[in-house]
Amino acid sequence: MGKGEESDKITINVGGTRHETYKSTLRTLPGTRLAWLADPDAQSNFDFDGKSNEFFFDRHPGIFSYVLNYYRTGKLHCPADICGPLFEEELTYWGIDETDVEPCCWMTYRQHRDAEEALDIFESPEPGGGAGGEEPEEEGGREMALQRLGMDDRPPGAAGAAGGGGCCRNWQPRMWALFEDPYSSKAARVVAFASLFFILVSITTFCLETHEAFNINVNVTETLVVGNTTTILLTHKVETEPILTYIEGVCVLWFTLEFLVRIICCPDKLLFVKNLLNIIDFVAILPFYLEVGLSGLSSKAARDVLGFLRVVRFVRILRIFKLTRHFVGLRVLGHTLRASTNEFLLLIIFLALGVLIFATMIYYAERIGAKTSDPRESDHTHFKNIPIGFWWAVVTMTTLGYGDMYPKTWSGMVVGALCALAGVLTIAMPVPVIVNNFGMYYSLAMAKQKLPKKKKKHIPRPAPLDSPTYCKSEENSPRNSTQSDTCPLAVEEGAAERKRSGETP
């Protein structure tokens, strides 16, 4: 290459690591920070050392190698050993769009952002009380919890804002935190343990009600009047031991108190009503009151409704989902199921296709060995029709194999072997993705919980706009530059920093 301007070498020192390239290479991406280094007045706009004849940038040297390689090859790859947000910040500084990342590295680049979103879901517990019963720290922890719950409208640091709106504004947020956030205070932990205790007692009572030892046979006498004829009917009815009913009543009273306090003190009642766990709470409480109210009535309609309510007692088992408020693992499981919806749909589609295909194949395969004296060709086989074969295909592909239906001909056995093999492969494909999602979310949730509590997190302030790290200020910038008088990227970063710090431009 000739010795013209296009072939002039340029030396860039990034974080102490020197890189050499050509100005023509930097011009391949016009409008970026490195492209401005090829301008004639670049030495006056950037930090240039005349002795070593190099530009200096106080940035991450490892990431800059990937950035410079993008200018050389036109392909932007993402390092696997560097956190995604850091790589994103460096791309923003050098003026490169993140969408230029190659498809082979996009998932590596994106997974860090997904991790940040998951960390936002699993809020770290921040107990209010400090070690040794430090009251100021405990009070500050409660205030932070109230702000996190959206019940404290005051700006951080404003004194007396919690009680500025009257008595309701003072006690209502604290009652909400008491029943909603187990980590907001020591009293909230006590309430959480009490709720957990009543949930376990209620579930235990529900299970014991089905045991024969707690069921009593009661003779019921009914008088039936038909015209002038009076008939006395003696029937038997099974009732539950009264002690279990009393225990369930105490549990329901606690759940009712908890539900009423939470719905009265919640910051947004519309969101409260839409929440699935709150709907479960209401559905599990209502049948008990209806059953108690109708138990004293003797009309046939009341008895029919009462019988129906006793059948739907199973909704009480839904209270077990209330444990998700107290156990992170259950919340992780729920979030994993929501995040793996596509994988579940894929699994269902694969299974449905396999069931349809193999149920049809086994139906016709079993007809091959039929006798001539059997006109329907179904006397010797369990597979009388294709819909019956659906059940066999499901239990075979899911490797359950109840043995209630099985092929009896050699052709049917071949189809059965293929069905079992296809089922193993079908389930094995989407399941690892779901397992990986659970592992990722669980590790993130545990990391969020184990993060050390920092009283004052130190955030270094960025260098001012006239610092050598950024472009030169407007006073020192020549007016005949091909770019703007001040570096646009620096101005944008300065405005973004002022916005984050709450300053006005």
Side-chain angles (χ1 to χ4, degrees), residues 19-69:
H19 302 266
E20 292 185 355
T21 185
Y22 293 103
K23 293 183 179 179
S24 58
T25 301
L26 301 182
R27 290 194 180 100
T28 56
L29 296 176
T32 59
R33 192 180 294 271
L34 290 181
W36 295 335
L37 297 181
D39 294 340
D41 57 350
Q43 297 180 4
S44 60
N45 291 336
F46 295 90
D47 185 13
F48 181 76
D49 188 355
K51 295 181 180 180
S52 57
N53 195 28
E54 65 183 21
F55 292 93
F56 178 78
F57 292 92
D58 191 16
R59 306 298 299 185
H60 196 288
I63 296 180
F64 182 75
S65 301
Y66 293 86
V67 173
L68 187 58
N69 186 66

Side-chain angles (χ1 to χ4, degrees), residues 210-491:
T210 61
H211 197 277
E212 294 83 357
F214 296 93
N215 293 329
I216 305 173
N217 291 324
V218 180
N219 296 327
V220 179
T221 302
E222 295 183 3
T223 303
L224 182 61
V225 179
V226 179
N228 296 327
T229 306
T230 302
T231 306
I232 298 177
L233 299 178
L234 182 63
T235 60
H236 298 277
K237 184 174 65 172
V238 178
E239 292 184 352
T240 307
E241 283 283 355
I243 184 63
L244 295 182
T245 305
Y246 297 148
I247 294 176
E248 177 64 17
V250 174
C251 295
V252 170
L253 288 178
W254 168 263
F255 295 141
T256 304
L257 174 64
E258 184 183 26
F259 184 81
L260 292 177
V261 171
R262 292 175 62 245
I263 195 173
I264 292 174
C265 301
C266 69
D268 192 333
K269 291 180 173 52
L270 181 59
L271 292 179
F272 183 89
V273 173
K274 291 181 178 179
N275 188 277
L276 180 60
L277 290 178
N278 299 328
I279 297 176
I280 291 175
D281 290 347
F282 179 76
V283 171
I285 291 172
L286 185 60
F288 179 83
Y289 289 105
L290 294 178
E291 186 174 347
V292 172
L294 295 175
S295 60
L297 302 179
S298 59
S299 63
K300 185 178 183 302
R303 290 197 302 269
D304 294 340
V305 175
L306 189 60
F308 173 76
L309 291 176
R310 289 171 179 170
V311 172
V312 298
R313 282 180 176 179
F314 70 91
V315 298
R316 288 158 51 189
I317 201 64
L318 298 178
R319 289 179 184 143
I320 197 171
F321 291 105
K322 291 164 64 72
L323 297 178
T324 57
R325 294 195 183 101
H326 312 290
F327 294 99
V328 178
L330 294 178
R331 300 209 321 264
V332 172
L333 178 61
H335 186 69
T336 302
L337 295 178
R338 290 193 299 269
S340 305
T341 303
N342 293 335
E343 287 75 17
F344 280 114
L345 292 177
L346 186 64
L347 178 61
I348 293 174
I349 292 174
F350 285 169
L351 186 62
L353 291 177
V355 167
L356 180 61
I357 292 173
F358 287 105
T360 304
M361 291 178 62
I362 195 68
Y363 173 77
Y364 288 104
E366 285 289 276
R367 267 51 190 170
I368 296 178
K371 298 180 181 179
T372 56
S373 59
D374 182 11
R376 298 181 60 87
E377 300 179 347
S378 60
D379 292 342
H380 69 291
T381 180
H382 297 290
F383 304 96
K384 308 298 181 181
N385 50 61
I386 292 179
I388 292 179
F390 290 163
W391 168 251
W392 170 84
V394 169
V395 297
T396 303
M397 294 188 68
T398 55
T399 68
L400 295 178
Y402 290 119
D404 54 345
M405 299 175 62
Y406 55 90
K408 296 182 178 180
T409 62
W410 63 268
S411 56
M413 294 177 184
V414 172
V415 173
L418 295 176
C419 180
L421 181 61
V424 172
L425 297 177
T426 299
I427 296 177
M429 286 186 288
V431 167
V433 180
I434 301 174
V435 174
N436 291 337
N437 288 341
F438 180 83
M440 181 186 69
Y441 291 124
Y442 187 80
S443 62
L444 290 175
M446 292 297 101
K448 189 73 173 179
Q449 279 195 329
K450 295 179 181 179
L451 282 177
K453 184 180 178 181
K454 299 180 181 180
K455 300 297 181 183
K456 294 182 180 179
K457 185 177 181 180
H458 176 69
I459 301 178
R461 295 184 61 84
L465 298 183
D466 56 353
S467 170
T469 305
Y470 293 95
C471 297
K472 294 292 184 178
S473 62
E474 186 175 357
E475 293 80 4
N476 300 327
S477 181
R479 294 293 179 179
N480 57 356
S481 173
T482 57
Q483 304 294 333
S484 61
D485 292 334
T486 57
C487 178
L489 291 178
V491 174

Side-chain angles (χ1 to χ4, degrees), residues 106-282:
W106 178 252
M107 294 305 298
T108 303
Y109 171 78
R110 177 68 189 182
Q111 69 181 2
H112 302 283
R113 190 175 299 172
D114 295 338
E116 284 187 332
E117 295 175 356
L119 284 174
D120 293 337
I121 295 175
F122 303 108
E123 291 186 353
S124 60
E126 298 178 356
E134 299 174 1
E135 292 300 329
E137 293 183 2
E138 184 173 354
E139 181 64 25
R142 284 198 297 266
E143 293 174 358
M144 291 178 60
L146 296 179
Q147 293 179 9
R148 187 171 69 251
L149 292 170
M151 292 298 296
D152 197 347
D153 296 332
R154 67 178 179 181
C167 180
C168 291
R169 181 177 291 274
N170 190 17
W171 65 264
Q172 189 173 355
R174 283 168 172 77
M175 292 299 294
W176 168 255
L178 183 66
F179 283 86
E180 183 69 18
D181 188 3
Y183 303 101
S184 60
S185 63
K186 293 180 180 179
R189 293 192 191 95
V190 175
V191 173
F193 279 115
S195 179
L196 177 61
F197 171 76
F198 283 109
I199 290 172
L200 296 179
V201 170
S202 177
I203 294 174
T204 304
T205 304
F206 172 78
C207 297
L208 292 178
E209 286 179 357
T210 61
H211 197 277
E212 294 83 357
F214 296 93
N215 293 329
I216 305 173
N217 291 324
V218 180
N219 296 327
V220 179
T221 302
E222 295 183 3
T223 303
L224 182 61
V225 179
V226 179
N228 296 327
T229 306
T230 302
T231 306
I232 298 177
L233 299 178
L234 182 63
T235 60
H236 298 277
K237 184 174 65 172
V238 178
E239 292 184 352
T240 307
E241 283 283 355
I243 184 63
L244 295 182
T245 305
Y246 297 148
I247 294 176
E248 177 64 17
V250 174
C251 295
V252 170
L253 288 178
W254 168 263
F255 295 141
T256 304
L257 174 64
E258 184 183 26
F259 184 81
L260 292 177
V261 171
R262 292 175 62 245
I263 195 173
I264 292 174
C265 301
C266 69
D268 192 333
K269 291 180 173 52
L270 181 59
L271 292 179
F272 183 89
V273 173
K274 291 181 178 179
N275 188 277
L276 180 60
L277 290 178
N278 299 328
I279 297 176
I280 291 175
D281 290 347
F282 179 76

Side-chain angles (χ1 to χ4, degrees), residues 59 63 78 82-92 98 108-116:
R59 306 298 299 185
I63 296 180
C78 176
I82 295 178
C83 188
L86 175 60
F87 188 70
E88 182 180 357
E89 292 176 1
E90 291 298 311
L91 291 183
T92 303
E98 64 175 7
T108 303
Y109 171 78
R110 177 68 189 182
Q111 69 181 2
H112 302 283
R113 190 175 299 172
D114 295 338
E116 284 187 332

